Amino acid sequence: MDIQQRPGIRTVMLLLLLAGAMPPVLGHDHHGANMNFDAGEPIGGVLKAHIFLMSVAFGALFPVGLVLGLKKNKWHVPVQATGGVLAIVGFILGHAHGGRAFPDNAHSKFSWFMLWLLVGQLGAGIYLKLHTERRFNDRARPFVKIAHKIMAIVMVVATYVQVLLGVVAWLGYCYDGYFGQCLAHLIMGSSFLAYGVWLLLLVRVATPWLTRIGRSPELYDSALIMVWGLFNTFTEHGFVEKAHGWSHKDLQHTSLGVIWFCGGLLSTYMLRKSSPADRSMFPAIILIFTGCAMGAHEQDTEFSTQVHFVFGLSLVLAGLTRCVEIMLITTGLVRSDSKAPNPFQYIPVFFLCHSGMAFMSANKQNVAAIEAMGIDIGTFSLAYLSISFLLFLYAYFLIQLYIDLGSRNEKSTSLPTSEDGVAYHSVSQAVDPARFSPRASEDIPRDPHVLFDAADEGILDHQDRGSLNGVHRYRGSPRSSDEIELGPMRSV
């Protein structure tokens, strides 16, 4: 591929060079520790454009592009290139806006990591698109390919973190003495949200993977709960901020970490040699006890206590519905290997997502701001319930897109019927693999009826890619005996 013949690639490469050359002076006077910050001051048009462009690029185009890339769809490169252009323009606008001033914040600092991650991701994509292995022995290509996929996955997680930090910076939360409790709510809420997305992946696409690995789904839940409990046990008291004695909140949070570690350790040990058919309710029981404890968690205000009760109720419902789901599967009322999940299996997933949103919203500054606006607990709960529905829709859409693209690829490789004007039939014969080596390709007897090898969708090994006169072996084909022969054509 010649770069001069690809103006799109030249444009993206130029933008990458400009982005990499941008000096830190773009961190303008609107981001600084000495600025007078007023969360009530309206934001300017440039900052609104920054928010819009970044939302489209990182919230829509990059995740969709990741799914398209996993399925090797032809729209992967255009979608990612468009997202890259919008992200770089949005980055420049974010460091050149007027209007509201912001204190020194993690969102502006983390943006530089996002920029270099984006540069690396797009640069690796362009490198792979140039197909340098056709010109010389490119030994770096396999490593670049792996790095490209890893950076794409990291980009999804980093995007979530950056959006969360952007909301925090916009609202002006987590400053002064609120940093520790704010960080705890954001991390724990995000962990419950990630747990819900993990269960959604298990329900929708992970059944073949679990069958191949040969382990129970709850084994991974239990291991994560055990590790997370161990982390919480030693970080809930005086880890971020200096603590003065043990409060009842410190004791309760630390005890929750202990029960997560002990319960996760028990369930992990019980499932250490389990098969996919073996299930455990202990992760769900841990959720139930955590929800009960958080629902009775005493707070400074009545409204904050009610918010924590809603969070605890969501966790209890997630645990109870998870127990019912496992009972239905183990009794045979619901098939775990079915392609179409039972509708009930989505209920615990949703309650986990909602519990994460509820806990993130329960930090002191947010609760105080909502209460000052005169909003009651009913309206508050319904508002965040609506956000939980949208987040669930977002995750479900990406997973469903992945499934639909896979189904479409399977349909595209199916054999045409006689209604297409051509009759196809499979020829099963033993073929010597040596016939298809590049050195022996010139000596292969030509059969004008053989079109292609139906066992794979990959790239032809032979340089003569456009020829339909010879027998072609597809790279990575699991078998060399399945070829498609063109039968007699009839007039249409």
Side-chain angles (χ1 to χ4, degrees):
M1 180 188 298
D2 190 358
I3 298 180
Q4 301 296 329
Q5 299 175 356
R6 297 282 181 170
I9 292 183
R10 284 186 299 168
T11 302
V12 175
M13 292 182 69
L14 178 61
L15 287 171
L16 290 178
L17 292 175
L18 290 175
M22 279 189 281
V25 295
L26 286 179
H28 52 83
D29 292 338
H30 294 277
H31 295 159
N34 298 323
M35 296 302 299
N36 295 322
F37 173 66
D38 182 11
E41 183 181 352
I43 60 177
V46 176
L47 187 55
K48 291 181 180 178
H50 161 76
I51 296 174
F52 174 76
L53 292 178
M54 289 304 200
S55 299
V56 173
F58 287 95
L61 296 180
F62 285 145
V64 171
L66 171 62
V67 176
L68 295 175
L70 291 175
K71 287 300 183 180
K72 296 180 174 56
N73 190 276
K74 64 179 181 180
W75 289 102
H76 167 67
V77 174
V79 170
Q80 294 292 79
T82 304
V85 172
L86 294 181
I88 293 174
V89 174
F91 179 86
I92 297 174
L93 294 179
H95 287 78
H97 69 82
R100 181 188 298 181
F102 293 89
D104 195 17
N105 57 83
H107 179 72
S108 61
K109 294 180 179 179
F110 195 68
S111 64
W112 289 99
F113 170 78
M114 295 291 296
L115 175 66
W116 288 111
L117 181 62
L118 175 63
V119 170
Q121 172 74 354
L122 295 180
I126 294 175
Y127 177 84
L128 295 175
K129 193 64 178 177
L130 294 177
H131 290 289
T132 54
E133 78 281 357
R134 298 177 183 175
R135 299 181 178 88
F136 57 89
N137 185 15
D138 187 2
R139 296 183 179 181
R141 183 178 177 85
F143 301 99
V144 175
K145 209 170 183 180
I146 296 174
H148 185 60
K149 292 182 179 179
I150 294 176
M151 285 188 291
I153 297 174
V154 172
M155 180 72 75
V156 175
V157 180
T159 297
Y160 171 79
V161 174
Q162 181 69 341
V163 170
L164 205 59
L165 294 176
V167 174
V168 169
W170 184 18
L171 297 175
Y173 291 167
C174 304
Y175 292 102
D176 300 328
Y178 296 100
F179 178 74
Q181 65 88 29
C182 184
L183 185 65
H185 279 83
L186 293 179
I187 292 177
M188 286 299 297
S190 299
S191 65
F192 287 120
L193 189 61
Y195 192 6
V197 175
W198 163 253
L199 289 184
L200 183 60
L201 286 170
L202 290 182
V203 170
R204 295 293 294 161
V205 297
T207 300
W209 176 75
L210 289 172
T211 303
R212 185 171 66 253
I213 298 298
R215 290 291 184 267
S216 170
E218 282 74 39
L219 175 63
Y220 305 99
D221 298 18
S222 305
L224 289 175
I225 288 175
M226 178 184 65
V227 173
W228 195 248
L230 183 64
F231 176 78
N232 270 9
T233 300
F234 296 99
T235 57
E236 286 293 343
H237 179 73
F239 183 75
V240 177
E241 298 175 338
K242 185 177 180 180
H244 302 282
W246 284 79
S247 65
H248 75 280
K249 294 182 180 180
D250 293 335
L251 290 172
Q252 189 174 47
H253 293 164
T254 303
S255 62
L256 285 175
V258 173
I259 192 177
W260 275 51
F261 171 75
C262 296
L265 181 63
L266 168 64
S267 184
T268 302
Y269 181 78
M270 293 178 65
L271 298 173
R272 69 192 187 283
K273 297 181 180 180
S274 62
S275 66
D278 298 325
R279 309 302 295 265
S280 174
M281 292 187 182
F282 281 107
I285 293 175
I286 294 173
L287 292 179
I288 294 173
F289 281 115
T290 304
C292 292
M294 296 307 298
H297 197 15
E298 184 181 351
Q299 299 296 311
D300 298 334
T301 64
E302 180 64 25
F303 185 77
S304 180
T305 302
Q306 292 174 343
V307 171
H308 281 77
F309 174 79
V310 173
F311 161 64
L313 179 62
S314 300
L315 270 185
V316 171
L317 291 175
L320 288 176
T321 52
R322 180 74 168 157
C323 288
V324 174
E325 176 199 358
I326 294 175
M327 183 187 66
L328 293 176
I329 292 175
T330 54
T331 55
L333 297 177
V334 173
R335 292 185 56 186
S336 60
D337 58 345
S338 176
K339 292 184 178 180
N342 189 284
F344 186 82
Q345 293 181 273
Y346 294 116
I347 303 301
V349 176
F350 172 75
F351 278 125
L352 273 173
C353 293
H354 180 250
S355 64
M357 280 303 306
F359 195 60
M360 283 190 287
S361 69
N363 71 81
K364 289 183 178 180
Q365 289 175 293
N366 188 59
V367 170
I370 296 296
E371 189 175 12
M373 296 169 60
I375 297 177
D376 62 352
I377 187 61
T379 305
F380 177 87
S381 301
L382 292 176
Y384 278 93
L385 191 64
S386 302
I387 298 176
S388 301
F389 277 122
L390 293 178
L391 289 176
F392 188 91
L393 170 64
Y394 181 74
Y396 185 88
F397 166 75
L398 293 177
I399 296 175
Q400 189 62 41
L401 177 63
Y402 178 85
I403 296 173
D404 290 343
L405 289 175
S407 302
R408 196 170 303 170
N409 290 339
E410 291 177 1
K411 292 180 180 179
S412 65
T413 58
S414 59
L415 298 181
T417 62
S418 59
E419 297 178 356
D420 297 318
V422 181
Y424 289 92
H425 61 277
S426 175
V427 179
S428 299
Q429 54 184 358
V431 181
D432 183 8
R435 296 177 55 208
F436 299 104
S437 63
R439 297 179 180 177
S441 59
E442 298 179 356
D443 300 329
I444 297 177
R446 302 290 179 175
D447 186 349
H449 298 297
V450 176
L451 287 181
F452 57 91
D453 184 357
D456 190 67
E457 303 174 19
I459 304 174
L460 294 173
D461 283 336
H462 302 303
Q463 296 294 330
D464 185 15
R465 295 171 182 268
S467 175
L468 295 178
N469 297 323
V471 178
H472 295 286
R473 168 117 167 101
Y474 278 67
R475 186 176 303 161
S477 176
R479 53 188 181 182
S480 59
S481 60
D482 290 347
E483 298 167 1
I484 304 303
E485 184 179 60
L486 176 64
M489 299 184 64
R490 60 179 177 83
S491 59
V492 180

